[in-house]
Amino acid sequence: MTPHNASDDSRWSDLDRPPLNASALRRGLVREGGLWSGVELVQRTGSTNSDLVAKAVAGTVGEGAVLVAEEQTAGRGRLDRQWTAPARSGLFFSVLLRPVEVPVARWGWLPLLTGVAVATGLSRAAGVDTALKWPNDLLVKVGGEERKAGGILAERAGDGGVVVGVGLNVSLRASELPVPTAGSLALAGAVTTDRDPLLRAVLRSLEEWYGRWRDAAGDPARSGLQETYAAGCATLGRTVRAELPGDRSIVGEAVAVDGDGRLVIATGEGVQEPVGAGDIVHLRPA
């Protein structure tokens, strides 16, 4: 295998990490009457989310636009955390959604919906069980230990749009992990690390879940989203610490995800407190 060299511009600088095939992705995803309207592939960019938000605001793309990067140099997680990985080692993509049939109050379900869709798609295509850490982390098991393999970030794009970005470690090796608590599909024993079928499976699953949710006017119970999210959520049933805005934190058991997509924490004082934003730390296994 040719080792990866950052100064080597060859598309095949790492034979374990072949490039994505943009035309094959378009053939497999863009169809009449479907959600996906176009697939753009770039070699590297700062952030697919930032780029797609700018295109959406400028009106140069419509709903169902997909932007994929082989490498992100300034990918962002929640709270503007950095997300970086070697070129072609993962899936880094953003999609533009315009859920006009859904009340804006329910748009907060979109990152949770995306988590369900990614987990469902990866289960089918990679044979890997992906658990969801509320609100937007994707977890895999590596040597029996829970590791973060990906994350989701949703941002408003103008008045009627939401850009949802996904970053997922696919072929990252142990020596390449940014932190010891990170993981990848390869380290979790995926049956394939071929990113083309993985991306197609995830986007088809997202199309399916988004259509179901939109048809139910965003109702998380009627669309089955709330129940499915709870079933795959590794946070529920655990003792957690929620680090909230304003330097406040609460500790208790995560008991439910409510109709607004908030995590409900039962504290030692017998209070059930819904948390809509904040960092969640898992304090002990479920």
Side-chain angles (χ1 to χ4, degrees), residues 34 47-48 79 91 94-95 133 211 219 248 256 258 271:
S47 158
T48 56
L79 310 177
L91 291 173
S94 298
V95 302
K133 179 187 172 195
D219 185 319
R248 195 167 75 88
D258 72 11
V271 176

Side-chain angles (χ1 to χ4, degrees), residues 6 36 72 92-93 100 115 160 162 184 193 195 202 204 210 263:
W36 307 121
Q72 273 195 140
F92 318 111
F93 66 94
V100 291
V162 179
S184 68
T193 55
R195 294 174 305 142
V202 165
R204 284 178 184 144
Y210 180 65
L263 185 68

Side-chain angles (χ1 to χ4, degrees), residues 1-18 43-44 70-71 85-89 171-173 176:
M1 188 193 79
T2 308
H4 175 66
N5 182 337
S7 64
D8 182 357
D9 287 333
S10 161
R11 297 170 75 226
W12 296 94
S13 56
D14 188 330
L15 296 181
D16 276 354
R17 291 173 175 156
Q43 288 308 302
R44 70 196 306 251
E70 292 284 30
E71 181 180 14
R88 302 189 301 280
S89 67
S171 64
L172 216 60
R173 304 161 188 132
E176 296 171 320

